[in-house]
Amino acid sequence: MSGITYVRGDATAPQGKGVKVIAHVCNDLGGWGKGFVVALSRRWPEPEAAYRRWHRERAGNDFALGAAQFVQVGPHLWVANMVGQRGMRTGSKGVPVRYEAIDKALGAVAVRAGELGASVHMPRIGCGLAGGKWSHVEPIVQRRLTGEGVPVTVYDHD
């Protein structure tokens, strides 16, 4: 048993009660405009604005592969911008996803979820435009989140 709840629906409209963190993967180039981030930006301007500022000011902050940024978008709702892909295109170095970066970022998400008493909600992170495989990502989610007692719901969009 994975400990992960799988549902059909929209990860930008997380189900259930209590505090929630929506986790998703961003690239390390400051680009925001394709994939799941489009749905986030349709709902809230803050995650995109915070990510772009974080990238722009990266010389003086922790922006890097494996970093996570937490943006509050509602009284009980946060978005975790996780830098988990190198670049945006598949090329000579393979697909953009970086599993070790997702692992590190989910560690930060687990800590923040614990502090907030929150559940974590996500699409199949790293598996869209980043080119990753859920068979690689799921065990990371299990170890970092459900294995630490953090409830996780994964959304498959219709």
Side-chain angles (χ1 to χ4, degrees):
M1 184 65 195
S2 74
I4 299 170
T5 301
Y6 290 89
V7 299
R8 287 221 166 277
D10 180 356
T12 69
Q15 303 172 9
K17 298 194 181 326
V19 180
K20 299 175 194 71
V21 175
I22 298 170
H24 72 105
V25 168
C26 305
N27 63 67
D28 65 349
L29 297 178
W32 181 291
K34 289 186 175 173
F36 183 70
V37 298
V38 174
L40 282 173
S41 290
R42 265 194 230 114
R43 229 176 253 275
W44 309 283
E46 298 92 349
E48 177 180 358
Y51 169 78
R52 290 188 185 279
R53 185 170 51 254
W54 190 30
H55 177 264
R56 192 171 52 250
E57 298 170 1
R58 67 192 177 278
N61 65 38
D62 67 344
F63 185 95
L65 280 170
Q69 177 191 52
F70 299 90
V71 183
Q72 192 165 10
V73 296
H76 303 288
L77 187 59
W78 297 75
V79 171
N81 292 331
M82 303 187 303
V83 184
Q85 67 181 75
R86 164 90 64 209
M88 291 187 265
R89 292 195 172 83
T90 298
S92 60
K93 294 190 171 120
V95 294
V97 71
R98 293 295 178 265
Y99 299 112
E100 63 283 353
I102 290 174
D103 182 71
K104 183 177 178 190
L106 283 176
V109 170
V111 169
R112 182 59 62 94
E115 293 167 354
L116 295 169
S119 55
V120 175
H121 303 258
M122 64 181 70
R124 291 185 188 237
I125 57 171
C127 298
L129 297 172
K133 294 185 177 354
W134 187 246
S135 61
H136 294 353
V137 176
E138 184 184 48
I140 300 169
V141 173
Q142 291 168 334
R143 187 174 70 259
R144 287 295 195 166
L145 297 173
T146 59
E148 296 298 319
V150 177
V152 174
T153 301
V154 172
Y155 295 76
D156 287 314
H157 206 272
D158 292 329

